[in-house]
Amino acid sequence: MNLIRKIRKVLKWESSPKPDITLNAELYAQLLPFRTPLILIQLCMVFGTIGYMQIEGHSLINAIFQTGYTITTVGFGSLGEGEFSPLGKLFTVTLIIFGYTVFIFAMGVIIDVINKGELKRILKERKMLYRIARLKKHFVICYHNEYAIEVTKQLRQNHIPFIVIDPREDIEAIAVEHKYPYYIKAKPHTEEAMLKAHLSSAKGLITLSDSIADNIALIASVRLFEKEHHIPSAYYIISASESVEDISKLKKLGADTVVSPSKLTAQRITAMAARPDMENLLEQFLYKSDTPLDMEEVYVPKTSWMVLKKLKETHLRDIANVSIIGITKKDGKFMPMPKGDVLIMSESKLLVIGTQKGILYTKGLVKKQEKPEELKYV
């Protein structure tokens, strides 16, 4: 089955994931004006075919051909102009006028629909929704501003997929300017926006509005979305707050992390004043994508072979060249710099520091259910 699925994927036989909102109803509403011209063309074809069969005695196929030849006004006489009776010639003239009128009417409808621009907008948004439906473990960034620009730069450098949602009319131009690969024009706190952003497959959400009311509404809406759609794992919500006093308020409402730019600036300046030599160390080794050093949390599943093993028994430093500098337990308690005798519990998170290659290798080791072969040689 896996081989067949891979072959289907290579040959592009697999159907594209369907978004939660397809805009089919909106698209149908835009195409509805084309229905009348199409019906008139069909009636014209039927009328002409029956007329040529009855008046000139043509066969069915010849009557259909002559009718199509005539109503498109490409010329006359394909079946022999001299062979037509006076009544047949009068019928043909009538058919030409009727066909030309239908053609002009159809062109008017097409031009009117195109000039409105709504059809083009819907088709473009529909294409974007189908692209978004392929995303998994992405972040939904709400509201475009200076913070969003910097956040998306970092996410793009670290190859983390994201979607930007903003209600402003020029969001498309903004997305092109700032290289947003996925964007949606909508009010972020609405369920429609969350469905369009494929939130059910997202890893988390980042709300960066300057208004505390927008952030509160969005956090409440996302947590409600979790319950109504029975999302198995809670979203990781990051919020921005201009006021330090609002940090605890946003956390109580459901935000996992609240960032205050003023507080971060103060902390950075204080760190620079207290430890000038350490000024750019964290930025150099943790925030840049081209640095050899990285830090990440690694989740320990229930089925991992590491569960109930001592930290020193894992030999991660020897086989993966990484160090465990912290453990977050299932209840959320954080243990900094754990000793080798500390037991690793299920559903805990290991704070790992090392090379990107070493951390990736560590993730693979943690997921294994049986003791890996590498430990036999340690």
Side-chain angles (χ1 to χ4, degrees):
M1 288 299 291
N2 290 333
L3 179 60
I4 295 175
R5 193 175 291 110
K6 289 180 180 179
I7 294 174
R8 287 173 63 88
K9 189 174 182 180
V10 170
L11 297 178
K12 297 184 178 180
W13 289 351
E14 294 281 357
S15 58
S16 299
K18 189 175 180 180
D20 297 316
I21 295 181
T22 60
L23 298 181
N24 287 338
E26 291 83 353
L27 183 61
Y28 176 76
Q30 291 298 313
L31 297 177
L32 196 59
F34 294 100
R35 183 174 59 179
T36 302
L38 289 174
I39 292 175
L40 290 175
I41 291 172
Q42 297 302 318
L43 290 176
C44 192
M45 285 294 297
V46 172
F47 175 69
T49 301
I50 295 175
Y52 281 121
M53 290 177 66
Q54 295 295 323
I55 297 172
E56 298 297 335
H58 287 329
S59 64
L60 177 62
I61 189 65
N62 283 343
I64 292 174
F65 177 75
Q66 183 62 52
T67 302
Y69 198 89
T70 302
I71 67 173
T72 55
T73 66
V74 297
F76 173 67
S78 65
L79 296 179
E81 183 176 357
E83 299 176 1
F84 282 90
S85 64
L87 182 60
K89 292 180 180 179
L90 183 61
F91 176 77
T92 300
V93 171
T94 305
L95 193 60
I96 290 174
I97 295 173
F98 185 59
Y100 186 73
T101 304
V102 171
F103 174 76
I104 294 297
F105 175 68
M107 289 301 297
V109 171
I110 293 172
I111 293 173
D112 181 63
V113 171
I114 292 176
N115 283 340
K116 288 180 179 177
E118 193 65 16
L119 178 61
K120 182 179 179 181
R121 183 196 66 78
I122 291 175
L123 290 173
K124 189 177 292 186
E125 184 178 2
R126 196 168 184 265
K127 182 179 179 181
M128 178 64 69
L129 293 180
Y130 272 90
R131 289 179 57 206
I132 292 173
R134 299 189 183 100
L135 295 179
K136 290 183 178 179
K137 301 297 181 182
H138 56 282
F139 274 94
V140 179
I141 300 177
C142 303
Y143 301 106
H144 165 80
N145 51 28
E146 294 299 324
Y147 299 136
I149 294 172
E150 295 302 322
V151 169
T152 54
K153 284 181 181 179
Q154 296 298 323
L155 292 177
R156 196 161 51 245
Q157 289 177 6
N158 289 278
H159 307 289
I160 300 174
F162 63 89
I163 302 169
V164 177
I165 305 179
D166 195 279
R168 65 186 70 189
E169 294 293 334
D170 58 342
I171 183 62
E172 182 180 354
I174 291 172
V176 173
E177 180 183 356
H178 298 288
K179 299 179 181 179
Y180 298 159
Y182 308 96
Y183 62 91
I184 294 172
K185 177 188 170 297
K187 293 182 179 180
H189 68 274
T190 62
E191 184 169 2
E192 180 182 0
M194 295 178 190
L195 291 174
K196 286 183 177 181
H198 201 41
L199 189 61
S200 57
S201 295
K203 183 177 182 179
L205 180 138
I206 304 173
T207 172
L208 300 170
S209 175
D210 298 330
S211 170
I212 184 66
D214 289 339
N215 292 332
I216 290 174
L218 192 51
I219 293 169
S221 299
V222 171
R223 294 308 182 197
L224 184 61
F225 185 90
E226 283 180 353
K227 294 180 180 179
E228 291 182 345
H229 293 267
H230 307 288
I231 305 300
S233 56
Y235 295 118
Y236 187 74
I237 300 178
I238 303 173
S239 177
S241 173
E242 292 293 337
S243 172
V244 178
E245 291 78 11
D246 292 330
I247 294 179
S248 59
K249 186 186 301 182
L250 290 170
K251 285 187 175 181
K252 289 178 181 178
L253 290 171
D256 295 287
T257 302
V258 181
V259 179
S260 173
S262 58
K263 185 177 179 180
L264 286 177
T265 303
Q267 289 176 341
R268 180 68 182 272
I269 293 174
T270 303
M272 291 167 59
R275 295 179 293 275
D277 295 336
M278 301 290 288
E279 175 186 348
N280 295 317
L281 185 62
L282 188 63
E283 181 179 352
Q284 178 69 30
F285 288 102
L286 297 181
Y287 297 154
K288 291 188 177 181
S289 58
D290 56 350
T291 178
L293 190 64
D294 201 355
M295 184 168 63
E296 193 171 339
E297 278 191 330
V298 178
Y299 178 76
V300 181
K302 294 180 180 179
T303 56
S304 174
W305 67 276
M306 289 187 181
V307 175
L308 298 180
K309 295 285 192 302
K310 292 182 179 179
L311 191 58
K312 61 183 180 182
E313 294 176 347
T314 62
H315 296 284
L316 290 177
R317 189 177 185 85
D318 299 318
I319 60 179
N321 195 25
V322 297
S323 298
I324 309 299
I325 61 172
I327 298 178
T328 303
K329 297 181 180 179
K330 184 180 178 181
D331 57 4
K333 293 182 179 180
F334 180 73
M335 180 188 300
M337 303 305 295
K339 296 182 179 180
D341 293 331
V342 173
L343 292 178
I344 299 176
M345 308 303 292
S346 65
E347 300 182 76
S348 60
K349 295 178 182 178
L350 308 178
L351 185 57
V352 182
I353 187 169
T355 62
Q356 294 179 358
K357 183 178 179 181
I359 292 176
L360 186 63
Y361 185 51
T362 302
K363 288 181 178 180
L365 291 175
V366 174
K367 290 180 181 179
K368 290 186 177 182
Q369 298 183 11
E370 298 181 359
K371 191 174 182 179
E373 293 289 331
E374 293 90 330
L375 288 179
K376 295 181 179 179
Y377 308 102
V378 178

